[in-house]
Every structure is written in structure tokens, then in C-alpha cells.
Amino acid sequence: MEDFVFLFRQPDIDRSKLSQTEMQVIFHKWDNWFGGIAAQGKISNMGIRLVAPGKVLKAGGVITDGPFVEIRERLNGFIVVKADSLEEAVTLAHGCPALEFNGSVEIRPVSMSEQLKGTLLAS
Amino acid sequence: MMEENEALKQLFQKEFSKIVAVISKQFGLQHIEIAEDIVSETFLQALETWRTKGTPANPTAWIYKVAQRKILYHFRRGKIFAQKIVPNLTLNQEKNEEMASLDFSPQNIKDSQLQMLFAVCNPAIASEAQIGLALRILCGFTIYEISKAFLSNEETIKKRLFRAKEKLRADKVKMELPPEKEIEQRLDNVLHIIYLLFTEGYYSKTQNEVLRKDFCLEAMRLCLQLTEYDKTNMPKTNALLALMCFHASRFRARLASDDTYILYENQNQDLWDTALIKQGTHFLQLSAKGNDVSSYHVEARIASLHCQKEDGKEKWGEILHLYNQLLFLNYSPAVALNRTFALYKAFGPQTALAEAKKLKLENNYFYFILMGELYKNIDTGNAKASFLKAYSLAQTQTDKQDLQKKIDNLI
């Protein structure tokens, strides 16, 4: 099993326009989707969720608020999953709620040296 | 006579751990076996004396006095007293007596028991042996009772306990609370052993119902002790206690007349112990202090929802959320199965089936029971195949009979 990172990106949602119930629905969608991966014993690290707005620092000291113009999507957070191959990791990523909100999941293998470090730290 | 024996047995169970703890605190954990022997001898003497002379007005005081005399005699006679205790004493005879006299004040009993709890729940010993030691030294169960619970024989249990005590000696484990900065980490282990002790009682394979319940009550008593001391009265301690209260509240309801278990869905809710549910709620509230969310918190919350009589999609949605949390903290096949069951109750069999198929628990008996239940109303063929697979994995005759009933009930 190797570690793969899921990077979640999706267009900004104006949370102030959402009702409490709608927020709850979104929360449970993510919670249950994560739960489905966890039930297979394939979560390596629950990662973190990010909130907007933030700042982007660019070369020359230019500071912007984002968003990341080219894709109009914000990084929303990440988790680390365990899978035998990149293909299996992609299969796991199916059904991700980000897709419902016109977002995406980027699946990236974790560099071997990082994994080794993680194993050493855990032992 | 039978009644008197029973009363003496209960007194033994109540006092054994106290006396052993007090003696071990005073003379050191390396003398734990002597302490055990002295308590046993004391009770043997009680049995004989009381039979002829009748039970004294204050049996506990009698027991303490005799145990005290026996320990004094033992150490006077033995080398230990000469080599280890006398050199530390002045020639004053009074002091001599004082050194060997045992302090049975409620406070000292309490302190000694707490220290013993930390000494026994020591990660240096294998966890199975820790549970055995806890049952013997902290709860006063006999070797026979412990062997019953573990479906083992007395000889094996004796050996296991002996090795554990050897390990305590070899590692020079002391009767003291861990230093302040270690206490939290050590507490985790103590709580874990209490949790296993409770589980051993709650899900035990033994048919002895009284014993099972006693295990659970003892686990709760030990946890309650931890809540009475500031440094161990942590949110997670209260969470574990809450969890045990909620589970124990269904003790009567889950038991059928023929000693088999009644599944949650078929339990008579009137048999739930409302006083214990109230206690559970009380400790659950205390556990909410601070930001710490342990698996005991999540499990206690799930157990509290199971103690609510109303049943509906909303409740199961919350249970599902909590099982998700539990999986994020720690994966186990049992939690994965419970989570899938909650998914079924909240979103129906199709959704649950899709997720259940991904679980890959190929040789898990409970997995195939769950699959059978999920298929039951949508695909009889697959339901039957699942139940048959579970049947082939079943370990006991009762389990097989239950499955046969399920298969026969399929349309």
C-alpha cells in the first residue's frame, strides 16, 4: 500500500447565502464520503480543511487574495489515502462531493522519502 | 449456611483488593503474593471461626484485625522483617509495631487502590495478563472465575498471573502514581484496560451471567475511582464511564430467558435501566469539558443515542456521523460494519449495499450477516447465499440456529 494525497478544489461558494440546512447537507455529504473510504480502512491521514478567504504571496512581494485565476477553483483541503496503485486511488476518489460542485480531486502519490519519514515517525 | 457463605464471598470480593493494596503499599509490590495469601488465610479463618462462634458485629473490622495480626506474624518471623524493616527502625518496640501496622483508614485504602490500579495496568505486561491481574488483584475474582471468563483452565490462568507478577518484580514497578507529566499517557492505558474488562463482561463467551455482570460492574467501579481523583478525573475518564453506564443500562433487556442475547431491535425498552441512563447522561456532560475528543467520547455518544426510544432516519444519520468519526480516529472491521448498518438505517439498503461491497471482509462472520440483512428485501437469492456463507463461518450452535431461522424466514 502506498500513500496518495487527494487535493480537493472547487469554485467558491458564498456561504452566507446558504441556509443552516444546506450547510448541514454539504457537511454530511463530505462526512459520509470520507466515512466510506475510512470504512475500507484506507485513510492514512485525515489531512486538513481550508477556509476562505486567504492570501497568495507571489514573486516580487505581490500579495493577492486569490482565487487562482486560471482554474477559478480554490484549494479546499486534502486527505491522504492508502491504495495499491494510482488507479485504485482514482477509483477511491470517485463520488467525491467536490465533483458535484463543479470541483475536482487531484490525486498525487506521496514522495517515497516522505512516506519513509512517516513510517519512521510512527514506529 | 448457604446465605452466610454467600455473604462471606461478597465480603471477600469487596475487601480482597483493599487489603492487598494496603499491604502492597506498605511493604512493596514484590510482596503482592504474600498479601494475597494472607487475605485468603484470613477469610479461611473467618469461615471456620464464624461458623462456630457466629458472625461478628463488624465483620470488616474483624477481617482487618486478623489480616493485621497475620501480616505482623509473617514479617516478624520472616527474613524480610529482619533484613529490610528492622534496619530502618529504632529499637523502640512501639515503632516496630507501628511500622508493621496496616492503615485501613478510608483515605489510605482509596490511595492504595488507585496506586495499585496504575501498577497493574502497566504497559510492560501483555494486555491479556493486565486484564487477568486486574480481575484478580483489583476486583478480587477467584482464579476459577477468571478461567471461566477466559474459557481457559485454572492452571493456565495461574501461570499467566504468575508471569505478570514476575514481570512487575523484574521491572521493579512501584506502588505509586506516575509522575505528573506521565500521568495522562499512563491513564490512557488504565482506561483501555478498564474498557477491555468491561467488554470482556459485556460480550463474554462464558455462559455465566452473574459473572459477566460482575465484570462490568467492577470495571465501572474502577473507572469511578479514577473520577474521584483530580489528576485522573479527565474528560475521557468521564466519557468511558458514561459509555459503560449506557451499555449496562440495557443489561436486562438484552438477555433472553434461555441465556441467549436479544438483538437491539427486538429488546423490550421497558427493561432499560433509566437510573443508569441518567448516570450516563451526567458523566457524558462532564466529559464535554475541554477540546479532547477520544474514541470513548464518540462511543458514549453512540451508546446514548441507542438509549433513546425514538427511532428514525435523523437519529441514524447522527449515529452514522459518529461511526465515521470513530473510523477517522481508528479503523476496525467491527466499526466499519456498524457504520454500514447505520448507513442502511439512514439511507436504505441500496446505498448501504454499494458501500458494503467495498469492505472486503471476506472471512468475517458478521459481514455476511449484514450482507444477508441488506439483501433480504431486495434479492432473496443473494440474501440466502450471504446467510449460508455466515453459517459456514459460525462458531457456535446457537449462531447456526439463528442463521437457519433467518434462512427459513426468507420468502
Side-chain angles (χ1 to χ4, degrees), chain A residues 27-28 30-43 46 88, chain B residues 317 320-322 324-325 327-328 331 336 339-340 343 347 355 358-360:
Chain A
F27 169 82
H28 284 297
W30 280 98
D31 185 59
N32 289 333
W33 185 68
F34 287 143
I37 300 173
Q40 300 172 59
K42 292 200 166 147
I43 298 266
M46 278 307 286
E88 196 204 337
Chain B
L320 172 62
H321 163 65
L322 290 162
N324 289 338
Q325 297 294 306
L327 284 169
F328 301 157
Y331 166 82
R339 185 238 174 216
T340 312
L343 191 69
F347 292 99
E355 298 263 294
K358 297 181 194 163
L359 295 185
K360 298 209 172 71

Side-chain angles (χ1 to χ4, degrees), chain A:
Chain A
M1 287 264 194
E2 287 168 42
D3 279 358
F4 295 87
V5 174
F6 286 0
L7 296 161
F8 307 112
R9 291 198 178 86
Q10 67 184 67
D12 255 345
I13 311 170
D14 188 354
R15 285 175 189 270
S16 64
K17 284 193 184 131
L18 292 177
S19 71
Q20 191 71 25
T21 325
E22 285 169 317
M23 297 270 278
Q24 279 285 315
V25 169
I26 293 174
F27 169 82
H28 284 297
K29 267 197 177 133
W30 280 98
D31 185 59
N32 289 333
W33 185 68
F34 287 143
I37 300 173
Q40 300 172 59
K42 292 200 166 147
I43 298 266
S44 178
N45 187 311
M46 278 307 286
I48 40 173
R49 307 311 131 237
L50 305 171
V51 288
K55 296 279 184 196
V56 178
L57 173 63
K58 290 184 175 171
V62 181
I63 298 168
T64 70
D65 291 339
F68 306 92
V69 278
E70 307 85 7
I71 41 173
R72 300 170 63 101
E73 282 177 340
R74 243 181 228 287
L75 187 63
N76 259 359
F78 73 89
I79 61 168
V80 186
V81 303
K82 289 182 268 194
D84 286 327
S85 62
L86 183 59
E87 287 65 37
E88 196 204 337
V90 173
T91 310
L92 277 178
H94 276 73
C96 173
L99 307 173
E100 280 179 48
F101 302 103
N102 293 315
S104 67
V105 191
E106 184 175 339
I107 299 119
R108 300 277 295 273
V110 174
S111 131
M112 283 305 281
S113 60
E114 283 301 314
Q115 271 193 43
L116 192 62
K117 222 158 60 185
T119 322
L120 289 175
L121 281 175
S123 63

Side-chain angles (χ1 to χ4, degrees), chain B residues 255-266:
Chain B
L255 204 73
S257 52
D258 58 351
D259 261 4
T260 54
Y261 289 126
I262 301 174
L263 287 175
Y264 175 73
E265 286 189 294
N266 305 326

Side-chain angles (χ1 to χ4, degrees), chain B residues 270-288:
Chain B
D270 294 336
L271 291 177
W272 290 356
D273 186 332
T274 46
L276 268 175
I277 294 176
K278 244 176 141 172
Q279 284 287 312
T281 311
H282 167 71
F283 290 115
L284 190 62
Q285 276 161 3
L286 291 176
S287 79

Side-chain angles (χ1 to χ4, degrees), chain B residues 173-191:
Chain B
V173 173
K174 289 206 178 82
M175 281 282 289
E176 61 190 14
L177 289 177
E180 197 136 337
K181 60 180 190 306
E182 280 172 35
I183 214 161
E184 193 174 347
Q185 199 197 345
R186 289 288 308 278
L187 179 65
D188 281 347
N189 187 62
V190 174
L191 294 178

